[in-house]
Amino acid sequence: MPIDERPETFHVTTDEQLRAVSNLTRHRIMAVLRFEPATITQIAERVGLAKGSSSYHVRLLERAGLVTVVRTRKVRGVTERYYAMAARAIVLPDPGAGQPDVLMRHAVADLEAAPVDGERHVQLAHLRLTEEQFAELGARLEALADEYRELSDPSLPDASLAFALFRPAPREQAEGDSQ
């Protein structure tokens, strides 16, 4: 399937798919494939893996349906495969109460691995909002992310945006869970 004909979204629905995206290395491989197809060798170089490890992780992602071969070419008698994300966006299921949020864990790991001398904008704000304000802020954040996603240029360096708008568990419940 040509990369321009990919579906807009791919919903992770099976345990195999969830296991595939839960791995930080595979998350980083999918980030490489977000904007343009790449070979196993190119993926290995960009993620900092051995080719064998890169191939292993890409095969798992392919088997789970998260990445796909979008073109091939012959190079010195060997077929070179170019992989791309199966869709423009991967949608994960909500983790459920008490379960780890894979997306946020990956975002924090990527933030911690980012160069310390690079420009970063990180903020935690504690808010008290009405239901309407909460919904409006969520919609505005999503619209802003969508707006800048449309402006993304694959020739420019990556920038990651992660946000989480949620209502924390009541303090009594949170304290009881930790005991």
Side-chain angles (χ1 to χ4, degrees), residues 23-92:
N23 178 278
L24 183 58
T25 298
R26 291 189 285 273
H27 161 77
R28 290 181 173 156
I29 289 171
M30 291 190 303
V32 167
L33 302 175
R34 181 180 307 127
F35 293 112
E36 60 189 349
T39 65
I40 294 294
T41 301
Q42 292 167 333
I43 293 166
E45 289 170 358
R46 292 178 190 160
V47 178
L49 290 173
K51 271 179 64 173
S53 293
S54 179
S55 179
Y56 166 78
H57 288 291
V58 170
R59 276 195 318 272
L60 287 176
L61 289 167
E62 184 179 24
R63 192 169 45 234
L66 297 161
V67 302
T68 185
V69 175
V70 292
R71 74 175 181 265
T72 60
R73 73 176 193 162
K74 287 278 190 189
V75 178
R76 292 182 290 256
V78 176
T79 301
E80 194 171 58
R81 292 176 180 87
Y82 284 80
Y83 295 88
M85 297 279 292
R88 295 180 200 282
I90 304 294
V91 179
L92 300 178

Side-chain angles (χ1 to χ4, degrees), residues 73-132:
R73 73 176 193 162
K74 287 278 190 189
V75 178
R76 292 182 290 256
V78 176
T79 301
E80 194 171 58
R81 292 176 180 87
Y82 284 80
Y83 295 88
M85 297 279 292
R88 295 180 200 282
I90 304 294
V91 179
L92 300 178
D94 287 331
Q99 297 299 309
D101 189 312
V102 171
L103 186 62
M104 291 310 295
R105 286 189 178 193
H106 289 335
V108 169
D110 285 345
L111 175 63
E112 290 171 344
V116 293
D117 59 347
E119 184 176 2
R120 298 161 31 143
H121 303 273
V122 178
Q123 180 181 16
L124 173 63
H126 297 283
L127 311 169
R128 291 190 175 190
L129 304 171
T130 66
E131 289 299 323
E132 294 79 21

